[in-house]
Amino acid sequence: MAMLMIACVPAWLGAAAAPDANPIPIRFGILPIGSAAESRAQWAPLLEDIAKRLGHPVSSVSVSSYAGLSGAMSTGSVDVAFVSGRLAVEAVSRQHMHVVAQFVRDDGVAGNYALLIVRASSPIQDIESLLANPGRWRYARGEPLSVTGYVAPEAQLFAPRGINSDTFFSSVRVGNHQDNALAVVNREVDVASGNNPDLDLFTRHFPHEAAQLRVIWRSTLIPAGVLVVRDAMDEPLQDQLVALMRNYGKQADANGERERSNLSRIPDLAHFVPADNRALKPFVDMDYTLAYQQAEHGRWVNDAARQARLKQVEGDYRKALQALEPTARPPHGNGEKSASVREGSP
C-alpha cells in the first residue's frame, strides 16, 4: 500500500482563533493529482485558511494512490475529503461519509472527460485501428477506483464490445495520469487513459512532451468531484466547515479575491456548490453499466450462472441507489440533525 503522508499546517494558524485550549483537529484527505507532494502544495493555502477561519488545526492526508486514500477513509483517519467516482461511492456506502458539496471547474464545465492518448506519430490513428489489433498494443491505465483512468474507458469503450482491457492488450501497467502520459511520450506504452484536466496540467508542466501526444477517444461528460464529510464529525464544526466551503471564493470583495487566488492553485477549481449523495448517481450508473456488460460478455459454465450474476448486479445496483437517498444516511455525531447540511437539499 502506498505510503500515507500527513502534513500539518502551522499550529498558530489554528490556535490564534481557537475558542478553547483543545480545538478539534480537521483531517483533510486529498485525491492524488500528479504526485502527493504536488497535491499538498496545491491545497495548502486553502487548508491554512480553513484553519485560521475555524480556529482548528488542519492536517492534509495526502497519498500517492486512490487505494491509499480509500484505506485512510476506511480507518476513520479522514474527516473531510476531495474524491470522485468510485471513491466517493465507497465513502458513502461503506466508509460512513456523506457528500456536502461538488466542485465547479474554472471554465464553467460541469465535469471532466476521460481520454485515451497516443503519441502524435503513433500508427494508432483512431479507435478502430486500436481495436483492430488485439494483443499488439501496450496500455497504461489508472487504478480500478479511478473513473477517468479505468471505469469510463471500460464502461463506455471496451465492455460494450465485449473487451476486457486486461486481456486485450499485450501488457497493462497501472499508474497516475501524469506517469502514464510520460510513458506514452517515452514509448514505454502505446496508449494510455487520462482526462482533460490532468492533460491540461501535463501540458503546463511538460509542454514539449505534451506536443507529442494526440487524443483518439473522449468519453461522455463525467460529473466533477465532490467533498465528503465523515458522519461522526462534530456537528457544530461540520456545519461551520460546510458553510465555509460552499461560500469560499464567492464574495466580490478583497477577501473573496484572496480566496479565489487560493482556489486557483488547485487545478481547474473555481468554487464549490451545495450537493448531497444524489450527486453520485451518474457514478453508480456507470459502475452498474460496466458490471452488467462484463457479466453479459463474460465466459460462464452455463447460462444459469450468467443469469445469476446478472441478477446479483441488478441487486447491487438497487442497494447502491438506496444508499444515495438522504433518508438512508445514518446519524452524525450527537444532538439534532442540521437540515441545511444533512437532509440532502443541494
Side-chain angles (χ1 to χ4, degrees), residues 74-110:
S74 292
T75 59
S77 301
V78 172
D79 299 304
V80 57
F82 156 46
V83 289
S84 66
R86 273 187 169 175
L87 210 54
V89 173
E90 277 199 354
V92 167
S93 62
R94 302 178 186 177
Q95 296 163 345
H96 309 292
M97 304 185 82
H98 60 278
V99 175
V100 296
Q102 191 160 31
F103 282 33
V104 176
R105 284 170 51 91
D106 54 9
D107 58 8
V109 177

Side-chain angles (χ1 to χ4, degrees), residues 292 295-296 300 302-313:
Y292 195 92
E296 228 178 7
W300 301 93
N302 53 48
D303 189 59
R306 182 193 310 274
Q307 293 304 319
R309 173 56 184 154
L310 291 174
K311 184 177 180 180
Q312 181 185 6
V313 169

